[in-house]
Structure formats: structure tokens, C-alpha cells
Amino acid sequence: MKKTYSEENYLKAIYHLSKMESKVSPKAIADALENNPASVIDMLKKLQDKLLITYDKFNGAFLTSSGELAALDIIRKHRLWEVFLVEKLNYGWDEVHDIAEQLEHIHDDQLAKKLDDYLGNPAVDPHGDPIPSSNGKMPVYATTLLSDISVGQSCKVGSVRDTSAPFLKYLKQLGLGLGATIYVIEKQEFDHSMVITINDGEQKTVSHKMTAHILVIPG
């Protein structure tokens, strides 16, 4: 059953929110999609009628098994397109998200498979996010926040939770890309900012907002 662009965006948003929150509320969805709560309620009812989600005001929205498969299919296409744009068309990692948002909605059963094969079956996208398999399995990759790394511990950047252009440009200015080694020198009790080195370079002070949006692999 084909879904509208709007339905696909809702399923994807619910999937991502469910990984961060115990209850996916209409307000959380509205904030994520920059929509109004009344419109969200209408869409949730439509998705429930199509057996893609379950929803009630006390427990929030949950994807059904078919809804999760549909969400992962969209995420898979999005991340494959990001790889294509960076590796084959030389876009920067801060330029591809919005373009992939458009390309992910192309409805062609063979396109994602051919794109995956053409790219050599990549495991992660340019932001370090794992690419779901064609049968709807999401690999586990980096799951630890940089903000949770202790003083005196090192780690490698695995992925970023914020793929907005301003954030990615900021990381580029810091020289902080995927695979970069970070060593935590100090944590400030007042605002939880960190003093770190990147690839054994000079010390830098970074905000808690930044460290809470980077996923790392300790060790």
C-alpha cells in the first residue's frame, strides 16, 4: 500500500521520537514536524485506520510492525541518498539532508536496492547513522553520548544526532568529523561544558548542547 509523503514523514518522525522518548505525544510530533497539534491528531487517526500505528491520548503513538517496516524503509532510502550525494556528487555532509528528504519519497521498489548495490552496500550514512537493511533491521552502532564520557576517557565520533546545516558546519570548523578521536580533559560543573582535544590537537571548550548531540564509541 503506497503512502503519501505526509504519512511517510509522520511514520519516520514517530520512529525517531520513540527512540528518545517513552511516550510519543501529538505535541512532540507537532514540534518535530513543525505542524499544529490539531493536524497531528487527524493524521494519527488516519495512520491508525491503516493499521500503521496505535494511538491513544494516555499512551501516545506507537508504530505497528507494518508501520515500523514502512518507517525503516524511508530511513533506509534517505540515508542511501545521503551517501550517494556525498560520495558521488561531492556534496558536503552539511548540504545533503534537505535534498535526501525529497529523494526518499520516490516510490520505486527496485531503486533502493540498485542504489545500495551501486554504492557498495554502505553500513552508515555520511553522519554515521546506520543504514537499515532491506528486510527492516536496524544495526546498532554508536549509542553513547559524548556528554556521558568521563574525564580522562577517550572516544571516537560515531554519529551525530543533529544533522542541521548550522550544527554540521560548526563541527567542520572544529575539525570534528566521523572517526575523530576525542579526549576529555575537564568537565565544568556549572554548565556541563567540556574541555577536550580532537585528534591530539589543541584544547577546545565545547558546550553541553554540542556534546549532547554527538554519539561516540568509547575506548
Side-chain angles (χ1 to χ4, degrees):
M1 180 192 303
K2 283 188 177 180
K3 289 159 279 295
T4 66
Y5 290 5
S6 182
E7 288 171 343
E8 291 179 342
N9 286 335
Y10 269 78
L11 293 173
K12 187 172 65 168
I14 293 169
Y15 178 87
H16 287 311
L17 289 168
S18 71
K19 302 304 176 185
M20 298 183 287
E21 304 176 15
S22 58
K23 176 182 175 180
V24 180
S25 66
K27 183 181 184 307
I29 299 170
D31 290 344
L33 296 175
E34 299 181 349
N35 211 333
N36 67 74
S39 298
V40 171
I41 295 293
D42 289 342
M43 178 58 79
L44 293 180
K45 290 177 179 177
K46 291 178 182 177
L47 294 173
Q48 185 160 246
D49 289 342
K50 291 187 174 185
L51 305 179
L52 294 169
I53 69 165
T54 60
Y55 169 73
D56 66 67
K57 62 181 180 180
F58 299 107
N59 298 307
F62 289 90
L63 295 172
T64 63
S65 56
S66 58
E68 182 168 344
L69 281 173
L72 287 168
D73 181 58
I74 295 299
I75 293 167
R76 171 178 164 78
K77 289 188 286 186
H78 180 101
R79 293 178 179 175
L80 285 171
W81 279 119
E82 288 192 334
V83 175
F84 174 79
L85 291 166
V86 169
E87 291 191 358
K88 304 302 180 182
L89 299 185
N90 299 316
Y91 279 86
W93 74 334
D94 55 319
E95 300 175 306
V96 296
H97 180 75
D98 289 344
I99 304 172
E101 285 281 310
Q102 301 172 59
L103 294 169
E104 71 186 25
H105 296 293
I106 297 174
H107 291 149
D108 184 292
D109 293 338
Q110 292 299 312
L111 181 58
K113 182 182 184 307
K114 291 185 176 183
L115 184 61
D116 189 23
D117 290 341
Y118 173 68
L119 294 170
N121 311 114
V124 297
D125 73 7
H127 308 115
D129 292 316
I131 297 174
S133 64
S134 58
N135 61 356
K137 300 295 182 183
M138 177 67 87
V140 177
Y141 192 43
T143 58
T144 302
L145 290 173
L146 175 56
S147 56
D148 292 331
I149 297 296
S150 301
V151 171
Q153 189 175 8
S154 63
C155 56
K156 287 186 180 295
V157 176
S159 67
V160 292
R161 296 177 70 177
D162 183 348
T163 56
S164 66
F167 183 69
L168 296 175
K169 286 178 181 176
Y170 172 60
L171 295 186
K172 188 184 292 185
Q173 289 172 0
L174 289 174
L176 195 56
L178 298 184
T181 299
I182 295 172
Y183 180 75
V184 179
I185 297 171
E186 186 180 351
K187 281 187 180 182
Q188 299 296 334
E189 185 177 353
F190 171 66
D191 60 0
H192 305 291
S193 60
M194 279 184 173
V195 179
I196 63 173
T197 61
I198 301 168
N199 294 327
D200 296 322
E202 65 183 42
Q203 294 184 16
K204 299 178 185 291
T205 299
V206 293
S207 70
H208 180 261
K209 183 177 181 180
M210 188 275 264
T211 62
H213 282 88
I214 294 180
L215 290 163
V216 298
I217 304 165

